[in-house]
Amino acid sequence: MPLQMKLSAITLDCPDPLALAAFYQQATGFEPHPKSDADFAGLNREDGLVIGFQRVDDYRAPSWPDQTVPQQLHLCFAVDDLDEAEARLLELGAGKPDHQPHEDRWRVLTDPAGHPFCLVDRG
């Protein structure tokens, strides 16, 4: 019988936890964790999922799609309108790599710390 595990948190390494938490808070609407600080910041979703951001000295951003510094993981967010979501996230400080596989179905962006994440067309 498999374990009954519920995903409770995803944590990203970064150089500035509070700044990265602010970016994702504006992007997702998750609530800031009340004990967030300069070493670890978190965002809470209503169902209990936490996205965490932990300070790492000498942090090196992933170099997607080049694997010189592997991405290790990426987040995907379903959206109703790819163009609208992309524009808003770029305003918030996201980056957009030149390499865009299947841009009509999903977009690869990078957060301010360089982590790749995808916007996926909900339709």
Side-chain angles (χ1 to χ4, degrees):
M1 174 180 236
L3 292 172
Q4 296 298 310
M5 299 190 319
K6 177 182 177 186
L7 181 63
S8 61
I10 299 165
T11 301
L12 303 173
D13 293 347
C14 63
D16 186 342
L18 292 171
L20 197 54
F23 169 80
Y24 279 104
Q25 196 266 329
Q26 290 179 39
T28 65
F30 287 20
E31 291 296 319
H33 190 283
K35 294 185 180 178
S36 293
D37 61 30
D39 290 320
F40 184 88
L43 297 175
N44 300 328
R45 191 169 70 180
E46 289 180 8
D47 66 358
L49 179 67
V50 174
I51 300 177
F53 311 93
Q54 65 186 6
R55 177 181 300 285
V56 172
D57 293 331
D58 301 320
Y59 171 77
R60 292 176 47 207
S63 55
W64 188 89
D66 174 355
Q67 293 297 303
T68 304
V69 180
Q71 66 185 6
Q72 300 172 12
L73 73 93
H74 72 271
L75 303 172
C76 292
F77 298 94
V79 298
D80 292 325
D81 185 312
L82 285 172
D83 293 331
E84 181 181 314
E86 175 186 317
R88 178 67 179 128
L89 288 160
L90 292 172
E91 288 174 3
L92 293 175
K96 183 177 179 184
D98 291 335
H99 181 67
Q100 292 291 320
H102 304 288
E103 192 168 16
D104 58 324
R105 294 192 332 225
W106 67 80
R107 308 282 165 81
V108 179
L109 301 179
T110 54
D111 68 25
H115 303 105
F117 67 93
C118 293
L119 301 176
V120 181
D121 186 359
R122 196 183 312 258

